[in-house]
């Protein structure tokens, strides 16, 4: 039998900032001695200057939104500027040594975010994954990278130097996707517009989840004729028994178990109505 365990990594991280865009596989990772600042998760850089505003990297090299201008009314009726603030632009490097005890064969997943915009994760100097997004958290597989019972060097790189297709082109043609001299973002998504806009950081926090060899990759519930329809995608579940329970706060609503015949499956619970609560699951051989 295996139960999942989630450990929060939120709090203070060692931090370094650089104005350049970070590109996984091309950009070099900063040396350990450069992490002289601090940053908090969850949080956004521009809300926590006090954690690194005395560091040399936040001096003259720091770069801010080049299109920011103080709001002024009245304004022209056409070609009005996109709302934005004077946010910090570049790449932020979060670093922390972590130690976790788990049995060999366990799966280890790091959940980050949502991070604004690009996010790359390194464990022991090895790339665990990279993603560009801003609306939802991302899971990074650390299985095989994070060593049990040892201090592991974990680094998260967040970069908001990004362009997604020239959504707000300048009339003078100066916006051509170049990293410098143009807007750092140009994003269409509503979550990234307005005065909070493209400022960088990690919302939602960072956590480490440890499971047995069998674990969920994804699951969700839909309704068909008023009945809960469970959809699940798993890893290493074939031949193992899934034991599940559905709670409404402390009240047990329903439970069951079955042997998994595939790593992707769905099933109905005809006598169970889904209410606000949580699902608890474990696996047995």
């Amino acid at each position: 039998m295996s139960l999942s365990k989630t450990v929060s990594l939120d709090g203070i991280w060692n931090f370094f900032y650089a104005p350049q865009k970070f590109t996984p596989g091309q950009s070099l990772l900063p040396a350990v001695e450069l992490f002289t600042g601090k940053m908090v998760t969850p949080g956004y850089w521009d809300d926590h200057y006090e954690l690194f505003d005395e560091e040399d990297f936040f001096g003259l090299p720091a770069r801010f939104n080049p299109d920011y201008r103080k709001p002024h009314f009245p304004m022209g009726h056409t070609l009005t500027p996109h709302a934005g603030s004077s946010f910090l632009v570049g790449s932020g490097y979060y670093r922390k040594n972590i130690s976790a005890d788990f049995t060999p064969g366990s799966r280890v997943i790091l959940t980050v975010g949502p991070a604004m915009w690009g996010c790359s994760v390194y464990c022991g100097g090895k790339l665990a994954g990279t993603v560009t997004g801003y609306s939802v958290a991302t899971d990074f597989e650390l299985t095989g990278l994070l060593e049990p019972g040892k201090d592991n060097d974990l680094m998260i790189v967040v970069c908001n130097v990004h362009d997604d297709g020239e959504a707000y082109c300048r009339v003078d043609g100066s916006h051509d996707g170049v990293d410098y001299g143009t807007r750092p973002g140009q994003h269409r998504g509503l979550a990234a517009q307005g005065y909070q806009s493209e400022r960088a950081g990690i919302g939602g926090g960072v956590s480490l989840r440890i499971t047995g060899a069998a674990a969920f990759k994804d699951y969700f519930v839909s309704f068909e004729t008023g009945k809960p329809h469970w959809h699940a995608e798993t890893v290493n579940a074939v031949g193992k028994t899934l034991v599940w329970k559905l709670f409404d706060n402390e009240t047990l609503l329903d439970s069951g178990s079955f042997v998994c015949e595939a790593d992707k499956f769905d099933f109905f619970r005809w006598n169970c109505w889904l209410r606000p609560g949580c699902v608890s699951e474990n696996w047995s051989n």
Side-chain angles (χ1 to χ4, degrees):
M1 179 181 293
S2 61
L3 294 173
S4 62
K5 178 176 67 174
T6 300
V7 180
S8 173
L9 298 181
D10 284 336
I12 298 294
W13 291 63
N14 295 323
F15 186 71
F16 171 72
Y17 158 85
Q20 293 82 16
K21 179 178 181 178
F22 179 80
T23 304
Q26 299 181 25
S27 303
L28 296 177
L29 296 176
V32 174
E33 57 268 21
L34 293 178
F35 287 81
T36 57
K38 302 293 182 182
M39 186 55 202
V40 65
T41 62
Y44 290 85
W45 305 346
D46 300 283
D47 295 331
H48 296 283
Y49 289 159
E50 75 282 358
L51 295 177
F52 54 85
D53 57 6
E54 295 186 27
E55 308 306 320
D56 288 342
F57 62 68
F58 194 52
L60 186 61
R63 188 163 71 99
F64 295 85
N65 177 12
D67 277 355
Y68 170 71
R69 80 184 218 187
K70 185 177 179 179
H72 175 77
F73 299 97
M75 303 177 75
H77 297 292
T78 60
L79 302 178
T80 54
H82 184 61
S85 57
S86 182
F87 52 82
L88 188 62
V89 176
S91 301
Y93 300 81
Y94 301 68
R95 185 173 178 270
K96 179 177 287 192
N97 286 326
I98 64 172
S99 178
D101 292 322
F102 53 89
T103 58
S106 299
R107 294 184 70 243
V108 185
I109 307 296
L110 184 76
T111 300
V112 180
M116 185 74 79
W117 290 85
C119 179
S120 300
V121 170
Y122 290 82
C123 185
K126 297 180 180 179
L127 179 64
T130 186
V131 68
T132 299
Y134 52 87
S135 296
V136 296
T138 301
D139 287 341
F140 296 90
E141 184 86 45
L142 297 189
T143 305
L145 296 178
L146 193 76
E147 298 186 55
K150 297 182 179 180
D151 285 336
N152 294 267
D153 183 74
L154 185 63
M155 189 181 303
I156 302 173
V157 187
V158 176
C159 177
N160 66 340
V161 183
H162 176 65
D163 184 273
D164 69 353
E166 307 179 32
Y168 301 99
C169 299
R170 289 178 175 176
V171 176
D172 61 7
S174 63
H175 177 84
D176 57 3
V178 178
D179 292 337
Y180 291 89
T182 63
R183 256 181 94 78
Q186 311 296 347
H187 306 286
R188 292 185 176 90
L190 292 178
Q193 295 188 25
Y195 286 97
Q196 304 306 312
S197 61
E198 299 141 30
R199 62 183 190 150
I202 299 175
V206 182
S207 62
L208 191 69
R209 181 164 56 94
I210 301 172
T211 73
F216 280 109
K217 288 183 64 177
D218 189 25
Y219 61 85
F220 67 95
V221 181
S222 62
F223 283 85
E224 298 174 18
T225 63
K227 301 178 180 64
H229 184 182
W230 299 77
H231 310 258
E233 186 176 357
T234 61
V235 176
N236 299 325
V238 177
K240 293 183 173 60
T241 299
L242 171 64
V243 181
W244 61 271
K245 297 178 182 180
L246 178 66
F247 292 90
D248 180 358
N249 293 321
E250 300 298 324
T251 303
L252 177 64
L253 301 179
D254 199 6
S255 63
S257 65
F258 58 87
V259 177
C260 299
E261 298 180 354
D263 273 325
K264 190 173 183 179
F265 54 85
D266 59 348
F267 64 97
F268 286 91
R269 291 301 298 173
W270 298 103
N271 298 319
C272 170
W273 291 81
L274 185 67
R275 300 176 227 170
C278 62
V279 176
S280 173
E281 32 75 25
N282 60 63
W283 299 93
S284 61
N285 293 319

